[in-house]
Amino acid sequence: MSKIQDTFLKIGSIDRRWIFLIIAAVVIVPLIFPVGLPIRPTDTTKNVYDSIEKLPAGSKVLLSVEYSPSTRPENHPMTISILRHLFKNNHKVFITCLWPDGQFMAQDAINQVAKQEFNKTYGVDYVFLGFRPGNEAVVKGIVSNLRKLYTVDVYQKKIDEIPLMNGINNFKDFDFLFSSSAGFPGTIEWVQYASDPTGIPMASGVTSIQVNEVMPYVQAGQMVGVLAGMPGAAEYEALINQKGSATSGMDAQSVAHLVIVLFIILGNVSFFIERNRSKKY
Amino acid sequence: MKDKQFWLVTGIIAFIFLLYWIMGHPYLYEDRIVMLITMFLMGSTLMYNVRYAQMGGEFYLRPIPGLKAVEEAVGRSTEMGRPILYVPGIQDMDQVETVAGVIVLGHVAKMTARYETSLNVPVSRSIVMKAAREACRESYMIEGRPDMFNEDMVHYLTDDQFAYAAGVNGIMVREKPAACMYMGKFYAESLILAETGNSIGAIQIAGTASQAQIPFFVTACDYTLIGEEFFAASAYLSKKPELIGGVRGQDMIKAAVIVTIIFSIIIMTLYDNTGIGFDVSKLLTIR
Amino acid sequence: MEFSTILGAWVAVFLTLGIFSYLYKDNPFYKFAEHLFVGVSAGYWTAIFFWTQIQPNLFGRLFPAKVYGPDSDTPFIYNLLSFISSSVFPEGGIDKGHDQHFIYLIPLALGMMMLLSLIPSINWFARWGIAYTVGMAAGLRAYGYLNSNVIGQVKGTAVNIFNSSLPFFSLSEPSIFNNMIIIVGTICGLLYFYFSKEHTGILGKASKVGIYFLMISFGASFGFAVMGRISLLIGRFNDLIKFSSTEYYHATIWVLIAVIAILGYASYLEKENKSQIADTDQGSVQEEE
Amino acid sequence: MIWKRQIPILIVTIVGWITLLGWFIDQPDIQEFVNDDATQWFDILASFAIILGALNLIKLQVQKILYQKPGWIYSVVAVMGFLFAITAGFFVKGVDDSVAQWGAHVTTDGTLFKWMFDYMFSPMSATMFSLLAFFVASASYRAFRIRNFEATLLLVSGIIIMVGRVPIGSVISSWFVMYLIVLSAGIYINVWKKDMNTTFVFVAVGISIVTIAGFMYGWPIDKPGIFYLPAIQEWIYYYPNVAGARSIMIGIGLGIFATSIRYILGIERSYIGE
């Protein structure tokens, strides 16, 4: 018995670089040799899907892209899937960014989905308004007078010359808002300054870290649903039936989680052995 | 009811608004009237308590267990003859949490002066360094031990997040402090600090309002001051009337919020089940 | 594939692995990448904010092309600025669809004061501009947070508890039991943060229940935090795997080998040195974790 | 003194009041100022603040080089990086005017600025964050201890979320979870009663009950729901978690409201360093 305990203690004081190596291995191996575990959509994800599905064709949807390359693996698959879903149902998409790097992310998504996959026309099916600094003030600006804030789109083209912008003056002219967000400013600001004061329904895709901060809004009905982190994106990919980078990451994600849980358990076992021993002496 | 000035001003504002309302209230978003009244009530509750504290009124504030744990930690360090490490977060003084962290530092410094334990405060911003030095100097003066204070107990490492974490880790491994305290604004480095502190077997006490970091502190530290608890602790220690009054004012508002929740539930239940003609959810919807 | 793309891939791989090498220990590769990151991001933010806000929305309102069309000349000051930098101040005014508003000289002045505050003796100059942003944010947030975080949440909690159309117990569907959980949890959680009364008796018990709910919530944040970190790592590894393909001339593999070889050689040298030092002065050599 | 203290406080008070009351006053001129110009100024000043921050950072690095402080050579790297980014941002566009004008170049493909973003800025910022995955793993092994009931609750709810949220959670049978619960309850009883026999009887009875029930119902993977990880996870996430998060949210909301009001009334002046 004490031999087993000794082994545990020994593992407990292992150099942490071995742990780093294990984590690197359990993430890389499933990425190269995927298993394809089944994906089961959660309710909050399904709610987002259903509410977009329910929009009448040709609805005007504002898509706000507010994340940077550092959280791209989590947010980008959501943006892609939402764009695919919106274009598949023939909705009109308006893209804004609250983060400067969001522009690049949005441009990538547009290149991939709007241009290559759906062959949509700029200015008729979608508009890319781009980034304005000022955090919550930008949200407030969009709610009160979008045209004052955005006189030109991201390509420096005048808003008045874009046909799709006809009749779009402020936030109330949209039918739905999706915010793909990684922090401040993001979903919370959209709830506070746009959706709550106007009542336009909104959903959001957030990074895992943020989920808990927005959940009360979802539960209270201030948001229709939320996509939570990379697994949320994978669930959405499953719902629209188009697999992407989030789905392919799920095996690695699953294994890594299991390993970390195992670490917690092992660590605590050696903690208890140690505590029992120090009690005895 | 003693604060005549307060009641007078509140009364006048209320009266003027009433007059304005009777005159037909031009230029007012009527939909938001509930919000305006709520704000007025909450704002005046806060002001009342701040003024009360300013005029020397005393409140009861419950003892905060985390502060007691600080005292024990200092005691244990003294017994072991090892230093105490205090990390006031990685942000500048414009963050409320850093300010609170420096206030708690003053409290810790008083104890280390009393127990003659050495204190080590690495910081990551130059302004924080100035403020932290001042706080420590003052505490040592109050305790009558200016001889024990030296400026280098508060020292600047670097602005960069991970480099700072690595620097603090180095201090921990070399000096093996008996107690580590993390009080301020933390981001991802919380995890690295708490893990190293754990591995050297130090007593760890943390205080922060960064929601994403609290779980890591709770699991790796012996005691954690969570969010508002941290602010309340610092208000308590700072003895600034506007902070203490704020704690008490927010408590009153909180009580009001709880009462509103219960009251709304009762009305909602009656509304849905018996058809009482008042929908409270409409009242609470402000566009 | 274009040369710039391939070069880019090599640079990206080198910087990524440089930062990852920190996991082994603090080393020159990491320090190089880290400092480069600090410098590049400072320049990056400066350029981005200048071109997306200050040039179009500030200068664009002071010298709009609408006013200085073909018929009227731009003022002398503009010509001077244009002479200094024709990219920021192109000929004929800045065409961003704005009208002319001289009131925007105020934010220009406040902004210039902020930049001048870099000079230590007048560092209080920044206070005016900061004061404006603080005041504005305070006005916006007082309303926004009160509405969404307080009143909105009160509304979200206030439900009909004896709703006859709901089942008493159901795990993932709305049910009376789940509504009770939300109500009890929210109220007890709030009571935990109640400071002006001693936590004994009923209040003590309620705040105890409250802290349990808070802990469950922190546990969920903990789970999500771990999830997020792993996702980001997956993203990085995906990129590294992509760059290890033949198209990029196996950038990942070569850089990885080079970094490992250099670090390994350095640590070998260090070990030799260390054993020499250790003979004379034991215990003074301590590795940082 | 008046320039350094009173005027900033006055600016905060006036701007704060105007923005706050702007939510309630339905008058076109005031609405226009509050919603358009005031927010635009805020945006512009926010940009200046960001630039100021960046310049400050570089100033520190330059000082380090000038005084040849330890590690100054790396500060040279930082300054070079800054100069490179400034060059790409303001002097070298990399494409013709027909592809992208100045101003549009920061987002257009093919420019030097975009290259810098794609191959320097994004990989580095993404890698910085992903380092944490490793630290989480090592901390989970060495620091996350169930030292008291609160920490236990936290870790258990965290583990359920971690496993239940990902696909692997949905292939773990609820019966497996039941066995696990019986075993951990066994460990708990052993610690509590310190009697091997009691533990053995308890575990044996528990395992047989679960097994018999399993044969009776035919081992469905997701029944009973309260032992199926994705279902428990969803429940925790949607109910107890929201209750806890909501009480924190209300607290934060009140805290921010109180601070904002203190700013507007001029009681709180920490922003000018007091």
Side-chain angles (χ1 to χ4, degrees):
Chain A
M1 194 67 182
S2 80
K3 234 179 203 165
I4 306 173
Q5 292 187 348
D6 280 341
T7 340
F8 266 115
L9 286 183
K10 211 176 225 170
I11 307 175
S13 58
I14 193 177
D15 189 331
R16 65 177 185 176
R17 281 176 282 201
W18 289 108
I19 296 170
F20 294 160
L21 209 61
I22 296 174
I23 280 296
V26 299
V27 173
I28 288 182
V29 173
L31 280 181
I32 300 177
F33 308 106
V35 200
L37 289 164
I39 289 166
R40 180 180 176 275
T42 47
D43 286 348
T44 41
T45 311
K46 258 184 275 179
N47 291 341
V48 179
Y49 178 82
D50 291 343
S51 51
I52 290 186
E53 212 37 28
K54 260 186 246 153
L55 292 174
S59 294
K60 297 179 183 111
V61 179
L62 185 68
L63 172 67
S64 183
V65 176
E66 41 242 5
Y67 56 93
S68 65
S70 46
T71 58
R72 184 187 164 111
E74 290 186 87
N75 290 108
H76 205 60
M78 301 172 186
T79 313
I80 299 263
S81 299
I82 291 287
L83 264 183
R84 280 178 178 156
H85 194 189
L86 292 176
F87 282 139
K88 200 174 75 191
N89 291 4
N90 278 320
H91 297 308
K92 308 289 178 200
V93 184
F94 301 75
I95 302 168
T96 57
C97 309
L98 296 183
W99 289 29
D101 339 34
Q103 283 195 163
F104 304 115
M105 304 293 119
Q107 186 62 56
D108 278 4
I110 290 170
N111 286 348
Q112 189 188 334
V113 182
K115 291 189 182 155
Q116 287 166 18
E117 290 175 14
F118 285 87
N119 215 353
K120 294 279 180 181
T121 332
Y122 186 80
V124 178
D125 299 307
Y126 68 100
V127 169
F128 186 14
L129 294 168
F131 162 75
R132 291 289 178 272
N135 305 337
E136 61 265 56
V138 176
V139 178
K140 193 134 192 294
I142 292 175
V143 172
S144 60
N145 189 350
L146 185 140
R147 276 169 183 271
K148 182 122 186 184
L149 191 66
Y150 286 100
T151 47
V152 289
D153 71 354
V154 85
Y155 310 111
Q156 310 295 316
K157 199 171 164 189
K158 293 220 183 72
I159 293 293
D160 302 334
E161 293 162 11
I162 299 173
L164 190 57
M165 291 303 291
N166 259 338
I168 302 281
N169 292 315
N170 60 40
F171 187 67
K172 282 189 190 145
D173 297 319
F174 296 109
D175 302 307
F176 193 77
L177 162 73
F178 186 87
S179 130
S180 190
S181 145
F184 172 83
T187 300
I188 294 175
E189 282 64 40
W190 281 110
V191 175
Q192 288 177 352
Y193 304 108
S195 183
D196 271 1
T198 58
I200 305 291
M202 74 172 278
S204 138
V206 297
T207 55
S208 309
I209 307 268
Q210 256 200 306
V211 175
N212 252 10
E213 287 170 31
V214 301
M215 266 318 281
Y217 294 133
V218 180
Q219 215 278 337
Q222 287 157 294
M223 279 161 63
V224 295
V226 65
L227 310 184
M230 206 189 214
E235 289 161 17
Y236 209 85
E237 283 173 359
L239 283 172
I240 61 166
N241 235 333
Q242 237 173 334
K243 294 208 163 54
S245 65
T247 309
S248 68
M250 276 306 99
D251 291 341
Q253 185 97 42
S254 298
V255 180
H257 281 195
L258 271 193
V259 168
I260 285 179
V261 168
L262 214 65
F263 278 160
I264 294 177
I265 293 170
L266 278 179
N268 276 295
V269 169
S270 59
F271 169 66
F272 275 108
I273 294 171
E274 217 167 300
R275 207 168 65 170
N276 274 351
R277 284 198 175 175
S278 63
K279 260 187 207 160
K280 270 181 202 158
Y281 300 120
Chain B
M1 279 296 181
K2 272 177 252 154
D3 192 352
K4 277 189 188 135
Q5 218 179 347
F6 171 80
W7 291 111
L8 191 69
V9 173
T10 327
I12 290 174
I13 295 176
F15 181 71
I16 291 175
F17 184 76
L18 207 67
L19 270 185
Y20 166 73
W21 183 259
I22 293 168
M23 278 159 61
H25 49 276
Y27 306 125
L28 182 82
Y29 269 119
E30 276 184 52
D31 305 350
R32 290 180 178 160
I33 184 74
V34 176
M35 192 67 176
L36 189 64
I37 293 170
T38 316
M39 270 193 174
F40 179 67
L41 288 177
M42 288 188 173
S44 42
T45 312
L46 280 173
M47 278 316 292
Y48 177 78
N49 283 290
V50 169
R51 286 180 57 88
Y52 185 72
Q54 268 169 344
M55 295 190 306
E58 300 248 329
F59 303 124
Y60 173 82
L61 283 182
R62 78 168 158 98
I64 290 169
L67 288 178
K68 218 167 175 185
V70 169
E71 189 134 15
E72 282 167 24
V74 177
R76 208 183 92 162
S77 308
T78 317
E79 276 167 29
M80 297 172 75
R82 292 215 233 124
I84 287 173
L85 182 79
Y86 190 98
V87 183
I90 63 154
Q91 289 287 299
D92 227 325
M93 288 305 279
D94 59 345
Q95 294 285 333
V96 206
E97 281 152 288
T98 317
V99 177
V102 172
I103 292 170
V104 179
L105 171 65
H107 175 67
V108 174
K110 266 185 206 159
M111 278 187 274
T112 55
R114 219 176 298 147
Y115 288 97
E116 304 189 0
T117 310
S118 68
L119 176 67
N120 190 346
V121 188
V123 299
S124 78
R125 300 288 152 129
S126 44
I127 301 175
V128 179
M129 182 174 73
K130 270 185 221 156
R133 267 192 191 151
E134 271 323 299
C136 287
R137 190 201 310 274
E138 201 187 306
S139 300
Y140 277 84
M141 295 289 258
I142 291 174
E143 289 297 318
R145 300 305 305 269
D147 52 308
M148 278 190 63
F149 173 77
N150 76 56
E151 291 226 313
D152 290 337
M153 61 173 45
V154 181
H155 55 102
Y156 170 84
L157 284 183
T158 165
D159 267 57
D160 180 75
Q161 178 185 17
F162 284 109
Y164 176 74
V168 176
N169 274 0
I171 295 174
M172 282 188 203
V173 174
R174 276 193 306 275
E175 296 189 355
K176 300 242 170 357
C180 301
M181 296 170 199
Y182 317 105
M183 310 257 177
K185 178 106 188 156
F186 290 92
Y187 290 98
E189 71 290 337
S190 67
L191 177 68
I192 308 173
L193 298 177
E195 186 202 335
T196 316
N198 201 280
S199 74
I200 58 166
I203 299 183
Q204 303 200 85
I205 301 166
T208 188
S210 327
Q211 214 175 336
Q213 308 308 329
I214 291 173
F216 298 112
F217 279 140
V218 171
T219 42
C221 294
D222 299 271
Y223 208 92
T224 312
L225 293 168
I226 299 163
E228 282 178 86
E229 222 177 358
F230 177 44
F231 293 129
S234 76
Y236 194 54
L237 294 175
S238 78
K239 302 203 168 64
K240 276 190 195 156
E242 67 264 27
L243 293 182
I244 300 179
V247 171
R248 158 94 172 187
Q250 283 183 52
D251 265 5
M252 284 184 165
I253 299 175
K254 237 171 267 169
V257 166
I258 293 174
V259 172
T260 317
I261 291 178
I262 295 173
F263 193 65
S264 319
I265 291 171
I266 295 172
I267 294 185
M268 271 305 268
T269 309
L270 291 178
Y271 173 75
D272 270 11
N273 294 343
T274 62
I276 172 183
F278 176 66
D279 184 0
V280 74
S281 76
K282 250 188 211 137
L283 187 74
L284 292 172
T285 309
I286 293 149
R287 292 276 172 242
Chain C
M1 199 170 286
E2 276 175 56
F3 171 73
S4 66
T5 315
I6 293 167
L7 176 74
W10 280 75
V11 171
V13 166
F14 172 74
L15 295 173
T16 305
L17 291 177
I19 293 174
F20 275 144
S21 74
Y22 178 74
L23 294 170
Y24 171 64
K25 66 179 195 186
D26 204 0
N27 68 72
F29 286 118
Y30 172 72
K31 284 208 183 107
F32 177 86
E34 186 208 326
H35 281 83
L36 189 67
F37 181 49
V38 169
V40 166
S41 45
Y44 169 78
W45 293 121
T46 307
I48 282 278
F49 281 99
F50 183 83
W51 287 111
T52 53
Q53 186 69 43
I54 293 174
Q55 198 252 0
N57 287 346
L58 180 59
F59 296 148
R61 280 196 174 93
L62 293 175
F63 311 107
K66 262 188 197 169
V67 181
Y68 310 114
D71 11 278
S72 81
D73 280 339
T74 46
F76 170 71
I77 176 112
Y78 188 83
N79 296 341
L80 190 73
L81 289 168
S82 180
F83 178 73
I84 298 170
S85 165
S86 62
S87 52
V88 180
F89 304 99
E91 225 171 286
I94 299 167
D95 184 17
K96 302 288 174 190
H98 289 300
D99 296 321
Q100 193 160 36
H101 296 281
F102 281 117
I103 199 167
Y104 277 77
L105 287 170
I106 298 174
L108 176 68
L110 290 176
M112 294 314 288
M113 280 174 75
M114 273 171 121
L115 293 186
L116 282 176
S117 73
L118 280 170
I119 302 165
S121 59
I122 47 169
N123 60 10
W124 58 270
F125 260 36
R127 285 183 186 177
W128 290 20
I130 292 171
Y132 184 89
T133 51
V134 165
M136 173 106 190
L140 282 181
R141 283 183 191 162
Y143 184 96
Y145 273 88
L146 201 58
N147 188 10
S148 302
N149 279 28
V150 182
I151 297 184
Q153 298 311 313
V154 169
K155 188 183 148 203
T157 315
V159 289
N160 169 10
I161 36 172
F162 298 114
N163 192 336
S164 47
S165 62
L166 288 180
F168 176 73
F169 180 83
S170 162
L171 200 58
S172 46
E173 300 295 311
S175 64
I176 292 173
F177 175 75
N178 287 340
N179 283 342
M180 294 292 267
I181 290 271
I182 294 258
I183 293 165
V184 171
T186 309
I187 291 177
C188 291
L190 279 174
L191 286 175
Y192 178 77
F193 292 118
Y194 196 86
F195 299 100
S196 42
K197 203 163 186 329
E198 190 137 23
H199 281 193
T200 49
I202 296 178
L203 182 59
K205 289 208 179 81
S207 80
K208 198 100 197 160
V209 174
I211 189 80
Y212 295 156
F213 274 95
L214 292 178
M215 285 301 152
I216 293 178
S217 178
F218 289 136
S221 329
F222 171 79
F224 282 116
V226 174
M227 187 163 106
R229 302 308 185 203
I230 299 286
S231 302
L232 299 187
L233 187 64
I234 292 172
R236 279 332 287 145
F237 280 170
N238 268 333
D239 276 6
L240 286 179
I241 291 172
K242 187 174 102 192
F243 291 144
S244 69
S245 67
T246 6
E247 283 171 85
Y248 297 95
Y249 300 100
H250 310 291
T252 310
I253 297 164
W254 291 120
V255 176
L256 186 65
I257 291 173
V259 169
I260 289 178
I262 295 172
L263 284 180
Y265 182 64
S267 95
Y268 169 75
L269 283 185
E270 207 171 275
K271 227 172 221 167
E272 290 219 315
N273 281 340
K274 207 189 225 173
S275 58
Q276 281 166 9
I277 299 169
D279 288 340
T280 53
D281 181 12
Q282 257 183 352
S284 71
V285 184
Q286 198 131 30
E287 275 292 284
E288 283 186 8
E289 281 267 303
Chain D
M1 211 43 197
I2 184 161
W3 304 103
K4 291 188 197 175
R5 287 193 67 233
Q6 274 80 356
I7 292 197
I9 294 171
L10 200 68
I11 294 177
V12 170
T13 311
I14 293 173
V15 175
W17 273 115
I18 292 177
T19 351
L20 185 61
L21 293 180
W23 286 99
F24 300 105
I25 300 173
D26 192 8
Q27 203 274 340
D29 289 335
I30 293 180
Q31 278 296 312
E32 193 187 319
F33 179 74
V34 170
N35 287 332
D36 299 336
D37 288 327
T39 39
Q40 283 285 303
W41 293 12
F42 179 84
D43 299 352
I44 291 167
L45 287 174
S47 317
F48 273 110
I50 300 263
I51 294 176
L52 176 67
L55 294 181
N56 239 330
L57 214 85
I58 293 306
K59 188 178 133 190
L60 280 177
Q61 300 288 344
V62 172
Q63 277 175 349
K64 230 175 167 181
I65 299 172
L66 290 180
Y67 299 114
Q68 305 232 328
K69 287 192 186 160
W72 64 272
I73 195 90
Y74 294 109
S75 299
V76 175
V77 176
V79 173
M80 299 289 277
F82 178 71
L83 291 180
F84 177 71
I86 290 293
T87 311
F90 293 93
F91 302 107
V92 179
K93 208 159 42 164
V95 291
D96 288 336
D97 269 358
S98 59
V99 181
Q101 298 236 310
W102 283 105
H105 72 292
V106 289
T107 46
T108 313
D109 278 326
T111 58
L112 183 62
F113 194 80
K114 185 80 198 305
W115 185 90
M116 178 193 81
F117 175 81
D118 279 340
Y119 300 112
M120 293 174 80
F121 183 79
S122 15
M124 284 196 284
S125 59
T127 314
M128 277 290 181
F129 273 92
S130 64
L131 271 186
L132 292 162
F134 294 101
F135 294 132
V136 163
S138 98
S140 68
Y141 192 46
R142 311 199 316 173
F144 298 157
R145 299 286 184 254
I146 43 177
R147 56 187 85 235
N148 49 35
F149 184 66
E150 279 90 7
T152 314
L153 212 55
L154 193 156
L155 276 178
V156 169
S157 110
I159 287 175
I160 292 175
I161 293 275
M162 260 192 297
V163 181
R165 270 267 130 179
V166 288
I168 207 156
S170 55
V171 296
I172 295 175
S173 162
S174 55
W175 301 93
F176 177 74
V177 176
M178 276 187 258
Y179 282 125
L180 270 188
I181 290 174
V182 170
L183 285 179
S184 7
I187 295 173
Y188 181 72
I189 285 179
N190 194 29
V191 173
W192 181 41
K193 291 266 180 191
K194 301 225 178 341
D195 180 21
M196 276 291 193
N197 289 335
T198 325
T199 315
F200 181 76
V201 170
F202 175 82
V203 173
V205 170
I207 287 183
S208 354
I209 291 175
V210 175
T211 315
I212 293 167
F215 275 112
M216 277 167 65
Y217 293 100
W219 310 98
I221 191 168
D222 56 349
K223 295 263 157 43
I226 46 168
F227 295 112
Y228 186 50
L229 283 174
I232 315 171
Q233 174 274 126
E234 187 103 312
W235 180 73
I236 289 184
Y237 166 69
Y238 215 79
Y239 299 102
N241 168 38
V242 165
R246 181 169 286 160
S247 57
I248 296 173
M249 186 179 256
I250 294 177
I252 291 177
L254 289 179
I256 289 184
F257 173 75
T259 324
S260 302
I261 293 293
R262 286 211 294 268
Y263 276 138
I264 294 173
L265 295 176
I267 311 173
E268 172 83 47
R269 296 155 190 180
S270 54
Y271 55 91
I272 50 169
E274 280 183 16

